[in-house]
């Protein structure tokens, strides 16, 4: 089969999205709750009060349930790489090998070793060593995330590498450039800080339920106090890292920035859309207002994107069709260079095969001139470079809106917990019970922005999604899509059931 | 084994670690159900999904890295791939 099956591409994308989104239900809770467990245990060690020990052990049990159910769900993503995304997987193998190997070692030594001490070591190792182990689990879990996010960051902003036309692989030239890529750093800090918020909201959800039921009230109030402080600090941190992400996007993925702001026509002193409803249909070049309704903050987008309120922020139209005045090269011009790169790569391959040394040297030289535009050579129209604008826009605004509300939410909970009057505010406690689900929603929306917003690229500028797939039939992917749907739904139901049972038992039996 | 007795420090350390884990597993309450889920999950993932549905495309269809490179290079320079997108429009 030589022709690509576009149905297969869509199913492979859907399957990857499904798996990643299910996996991401478990991960942020692990990342956030691990630190909260460490805080509670630190308070126990510092004060010597048994109440804090009971609290730490209770949240550790819920952490353990989530960890156990969620562990290895990410491995399925690796299965999919080999089966559905073999071209992509081959091409990035050399880049991803190092970070993922480090992740494996870190995960094994830090998590696996200290995890056992954290759960089995109460009263069997010293207080200090137990606390150290709990902190190591928290740090190890979050460091594991670093390496995955470095790999993801590289796909969004490929640096520290060269493309080897002999092996068809990207080869790492500078590990540190890959590790400290601004996209990877922004991605890691924003992802972990938002996961801390999710962990804090989880504690508030469970504790609010206890307060509404009038059970375990002292434990619930103490838990909320710590979670609200951690959550509040994390929202501030997530705000800063989110700002940094947008700033980095402006230079590395301007199309993504334009999509999540619904900005079609670029402008100087660009406004930030605070609230907006996009029109049903919109062509990138029709010069009509994309919004049915919007509230904008003047100049703020320019300030956030370029740290200059008067600066020009390119819109989708500028990026697709070019803007000579702002010296922006359009996709059409990039497509021409990309097609030359594809043709020169093919010529190099054929000349090498036939033993034509002069021909292969010439083709390689010509390929080198245009190789940075390789991915554009696979487009048939410039508009293919536009990501799904509505999905990206609404996901971004949902994430930001919820993030802002969480700040207010943590302030109120912290104030009332400090004043010891939470139980009198039953409406707020009901909101507290649903807050974890809003946190998960915001976290998932964040990933939709990151991944839908970077379409159509699987590797920015080098490889569009439809070229990265394997030559397999759509039917195969469809079948496994529904298998995963079933498997993950069962796992989720198991987690919810065991978690609810444990919450219902409460800290007494832990 | 010469010099390897039950008084050996390494042996004692090993025994302590094994006992630590065994006692820990025995004392688990929620953990038993979790271990069942983990084992079933890993079995489904590796013994069913990986084995029957998720073979590695390049490792299954090609035997050397050279062949794999050639295949991928062929794929990314294939005009029919680009044409397929144009045909759909």
């Amino acid at each position: 089969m030589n022709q690509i099956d576009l149905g297969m591409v869509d199913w492979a994308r859907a399957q990857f999205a499904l798996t990643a989104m299910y996996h991401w239900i478990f991960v942020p809770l692990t990342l956030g709750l691990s630190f909260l467990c460490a805080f509670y245990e630190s308070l126990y060690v510092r004060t010597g009060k048994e109440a804090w020990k009971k609290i730490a052990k209770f949240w550790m049990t819920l952490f353990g349930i989530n960890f156990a159910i969620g562990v290895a769900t990410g491995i399925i993503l690796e299965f999919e790489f080999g089966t559905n995304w073999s071209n992509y997987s081959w091409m990035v193998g050399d880049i991803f090998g190092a970070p993922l190997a480090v992740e494996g070692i870190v995960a094994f030594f830090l998590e696996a070793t200290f995890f056992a001490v954290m759960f089995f070591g109460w009263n069997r190792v010293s207080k200090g060593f137990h606390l150290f182990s709990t902190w190591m689990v928290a740090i190890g879990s979050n460091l594991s995330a670093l390496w995955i996010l470095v790999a993801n960051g590289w796909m969004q902003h490929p640096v520290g590498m060269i493309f080897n036309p002999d092996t068809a692989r990207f080869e790492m030239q500078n590990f540190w450039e890959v590790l400290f890529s601004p996209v990877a750093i922004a991605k890691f800090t924003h992802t972990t800080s938002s996961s801390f918020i999710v962990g804090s909201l989880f504690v508030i959800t469970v504790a609010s339920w206890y307060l509404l039921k009038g059970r375990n009230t002292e434990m619930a109030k103490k838990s909320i106090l710590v979670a609200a402080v951690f959550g509040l600090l994390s929202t501030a941190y997530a705000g800063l890292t989110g700002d940094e992400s947008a700033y980095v996007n402006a230079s590395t993925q301007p199309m993504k920035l334009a999509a999540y702001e619904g900005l079609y026509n670029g402008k100087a002193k660009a406004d930030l859309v605070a609230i907006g409803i996009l029109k049903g249909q919109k062509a990138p070049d029709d010069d009509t207002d994309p919004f049915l309704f919007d509230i904008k903050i003047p100049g703020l987008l320019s300030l956030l994107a370029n740290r200059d309120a008067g600066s020009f922020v390119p819109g989708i139209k500028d990026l697709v069709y070019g803007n000579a005045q702002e010296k922006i090269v359009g996709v059409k011009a990039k497509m021409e260079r990309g097609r030359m790169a594809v043709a020169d790569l093919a010529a190099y391959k054929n000349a090498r095969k036939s033993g034509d040394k002069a021909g292969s040297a010439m083709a390689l030289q010509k390929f080198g001139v245009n190789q940075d535009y390789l991915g554009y050579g696979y487009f048939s129209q410039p508009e293919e470079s536009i990501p799904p604008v509505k999905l990206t826009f609404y996901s971004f605004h949902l994430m930001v809106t919820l993030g802002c509300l969480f700040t207010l939410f943590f302030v109120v909970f912290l104030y009332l917990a400090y004043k010891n009057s939470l139980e009198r505010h039953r409406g707020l406690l009901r909101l507290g019970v649903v807050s974890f689900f809003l946190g998960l929603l915001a976290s998932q929306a964040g990933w939709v922005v990151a991944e839908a917003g970077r379409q159509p690229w699987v590797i920015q500028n080098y490889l569009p999604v439809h070229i990265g797939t394997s030559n397999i039939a759509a039917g195969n992917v469809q079948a496994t899509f529904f298998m995963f749907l079933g498997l993950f739904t069962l796992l989720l139901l198991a987690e919810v059931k065991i978690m609810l049972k444990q919450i219902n038992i409460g800290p007494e039996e832990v | 084994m010469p010099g390897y007795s039950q008084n050996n420090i390494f042996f004692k350390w090993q025994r302590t670690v094994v006992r630590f884990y065994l006692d820990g597993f025995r004392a688990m309450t929620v953990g038993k159900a979790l271990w069942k889920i983990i084992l079933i999950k890993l079995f489904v993932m590796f013994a069913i999904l990986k084995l029957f549905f998720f073979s590695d495309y390049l490792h299954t269809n090609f035997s050397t890295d050279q062949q794999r490179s050639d295949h991928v290079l062929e794929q990314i320079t294939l005009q029919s791939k680009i044409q397929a997108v144009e045909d759909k429009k």
Side-chain angles (χ1 to χ4, degrees):
Chain A
M1 183 171 31
N2 284 331
Q3 283 217 343
I4 194 163
D5 178 353
L6 291 174
M8 182 271 163
V9 176
D10 290 339
W11 275 107
R13 291 175 69 189
Q15 187 180 70
F16 200 86
L18 171 89
T19 322
M21 290 177 91
Y22 262 105
H23 180 56
W24 196 249
I25 291 172
F26 305 108
V27 177
L29 189 53
T30 297
L31 301 185
L33 200 52
S34 62
F35 271 109
L36 280 154
C37 290
F39 294 145
Y40 293 127
E41 192 177 340
S42 298
L43 284 164
Y44 160 60
V45 172
R46 190 169 173 80
T47 62
K49 289 182 179 168
E50 285 296 308
W52 284 115
K53 183 181 180 183
K54 200 183 242 187
I55 289 170
K57 286 181 82 173
F58 173 67
W59 294 112
M60 268 178 206
T61 305
L62 299 190
F63 167 79
I65 293 168
N66 181 65
F67 188 93
I69 305 271
V71 76
T73 52
I75 290 174
I76 290 177
L77 296 168
E78 290 183 29
F79 292 177
E80 290 173 34
F81 283 145
T83 307
N84 302 342
W85 302 93
S86 61
N87 290 347
Y88 155 79
S89 175
W90 176 260
M91 292 172 81
V92 302
D94 187 68
I95 303 284
F96 286 12
L100 296 184
V102 177
E103 192 261 340
I105 293 164
V106 168
F108 182 78
F109 283 106
L110 280 177
E111 284 180 49
T113 311
F114 293 111
F115 206 85
V117 179
M118 179 177 167
F119 283 95
F120 302 156
W122 287 106
N123 306 323
R124 302 190 66 189
V125 296
S126 70
K127 272 185 188 179
F129 185 63
H130 194 277
L131 178 63
F132 174 74
S133 301
T134 307
W135 274 101
M136 284 297 107
V137 168
I139 292 166
S141 305
N142 281 268
L143 278 182
S144 292
L146 168 70
W147 302 105
I148 303 290
L149 295 169
V150 164
N152 184 283
W154 183 87
M155 290 154 69
Q156 316 236 6
H157 180 50
V159 289
M161 58 76 190
I162 55 159
F163 177 73
N164 184 338
D166 290 318
T167 58
R169 301 189 96 159
F170 291 95
E171 292 175 356
M172 193 182 289
Q173 294 291 295
N174 188 335
F175 175 77
W176 302 108
E177 207 180 334
V178 173
L179 177 58
F180 293 113
S181 149
V183 175
I185 298 297
K187 196 162 275 294
F188 173 67
T189 51
H190 194 54
T191 304
T192 47
S193 55
S194 60
S195 297
F196 299 160
I197 297 173
V198 173
S200 304
L201 291 172
F202 175 76
V203 169
I204 289 181
T205 287
V206 177
S208 295
W209 183 78
Y210 282 140
L211 290 179
L212 280 170
K213 293 279 173 192
R215 291 176 49 191
N216 310 309
T217 52
E218 283 312 305
M219 169 266 181
K221 284 188 273 189
K222 280 188 161 74
S223 296
I224 286 176
L225 195 63
V226 175
V229 172
F230 186 49
L232 185 59
L233 292 173
S234 300
T235 51
Y237 184 38
L240 288 172
T241 55
D243 169 66
E244 182 62 20
S245 295
Y247 177 65
V248 169
N249 283 162
S251 56
T252 58
Q253 294 172 297
M255 183 64 89
K256 183 193 273 188
L257 179 80
Y260 64 65
E261 270 303 308
L263 183 69
Y264 279 84
N265 293 329
K267 58 189 274 196
K269 298 179 189 170
D271 310 328
L272 185 85
V273 179
I275 300 169
I277 300 172
L278 288 162
K279 280 180 184 166
Q281 292 292 324
K282 166 82 180 132
D285 57 346
D286 66 9
D287 289 330
T288 58
D289 185 353
F291 291 98
L292 279 172
F293 165 79
D294 58 50
I295 297 172
K296 290 177 175 169
I297 305 168
L300 191 57
L301 183 58
S302 287
L303 184 68
L304 294 178
N306 303 318
R307 306 287 189 248
D308 175 1
S311 65
F312 180 84
V313 180
I316 293 169
K317 185 183 167 187
D318 306 287
L319 295 164
V320 173
Y321 304 111
N323 182 331
Q325 198 181 336
E326 297 295 332
K327 296 177 184 160
I328 296 169
V329 179
V331 173
K332 200 171 181 181
K334 291 179 181 175
M335 279 169 60
E336 284 168 17
R337 295 189 67 175
R339 284 178 176 180
M340 282 192 268
V342 175
D344 292 332
L345 188 59
Y348 172 70
K349 178 194 70 182
N350 294 331
R352 201 187 53 169
K353 211 180 213 174
S354 61
D356 175 3
K357 285 187 178 171
S360 65
M362 184 181 287
L364 191 59
Q365 192 183 14
K366 285 166 75 180
F367 173 71
V369 175
N370 295 307
Q371 67 167 327
D372 289 345
Y373 299 92
L374 179 70
Y376 291 93
Y378 302 108
F379 292 162
S380 58
Q381 290 177 25
E383 292 79 7
E384 284 171 31
S385 62
I386 306 172
V389 176
K390 281 184 185 167
L391 179 64
T392 313
F393 174 86
Y394 286 120
S395 300
F396 176 74
H397 283 80
L398 178 67
M399 174 189 70
V400 173
T401 305
L402 285 171
C404 294
L405 289 175
F406 292 149
T407 310
L408 185 66
F409 176 86
F410 286 125
V411 168
V412 172
F413 261 83
L414 181 59
Y415 176 75
L416 294 177
Y418 181 71
K419 290 281 175 189
N420 199 18
S421 62
L422 271 169
E423 287 148 294
R424 292 204 297 273
H425 298 83
R426 298 186 69 79
L428 185 71
L429 290 175
R430 285 190 192 98
L431 179 64
V433 171
V434 297
S435 66
F436 168 61
F437 304 99
L438 295 176
L440 275 183
L441 185 65
S443 192
Q444 296 275 352
W447 272 110
V448 172
V449 176
E451 298 303 299
R454 70 153 147 149
Q455 297 300 316
W457 302 110
V458 62
I459 304 171
Q460 183 78 28
N461 297 343
Y462 287 95
L463 191 71
V465 167
H466 69 277
I467 303 295
T469 49
S470 310
N471 277 344
I472 56 171
N476 295 352
V477 191
Q478 264 175 300
T480 48
F481 174 90
F482 290 108
M483 275 181 204
F484 281 160
L485 187 62
L487 176 68
F488 276 105
T489 305
L490 279 175
L491 285 176
L492 192 62
L493 289 174
E495 161 147 8
V496 171
K497 192 181 171 206
I498 298 172
M499 195 78 96
L500 286 179
K501 189 180 168 193
Q502 199 58 39
I503 291 167
N504 201 30
I505 292 169
E508 285 81 2
E509 301 299 320
V510 173
Chain B
M1 192 184 295
Y4 194 84
S5 71
Q6 294 211 346
N7 293 326
N8 184 303
I9 290 175
F10 183 68
F11 181 81
K12 278 183 180 172
W13 180 80
Q14 267 186 326
R15 209 169 48 182
T16 309
V17 170
V18 169
R19 194 178 293 149
F20 179 84
Y21 275 86
L22 283 178
D23 290 350
F25 282 122
R26 278 196 205 107
M28 282 197 304
T29 48
V30 194
K32 279 168 191 151
L34 288 177
W35 275 109
K36 278 183 203 159
I37 291 172
I38 291 170
L39 292 175
I40 292 169
K41 177 177 68 177
L42 292 177
F43 176 78
V44 170
M45 278 170 59
F46 288 98
I48 300 175
L49 290 173
K50 179 66 183 162
L51 214 57
F52 297 106
F53 297 98
F54 281 91
S55 57
D56 188 307
Y57 180 82
L58 293 177
H59 280 88
T60 308
N61 292 291
F62 305 98
S63 49
T64 66
D65 274 358
Q66 185 60 54
Q67 288 175 343
R68 291 177 196 117
S69 291
D70 289 344
H71 170 76
V72 173
L73 207 51
E74 189 71 30
Q75 291 294 304
I76 63 174
T77 54
L78 213 58
Q79 281 306 305
S80 57
K81 277 217 169 198
I82 304 163
Q83 198 58 45
V85 182
E86 286 177 355
D87 290 347
K88 202 191 175 192
K89 293 187 184 294

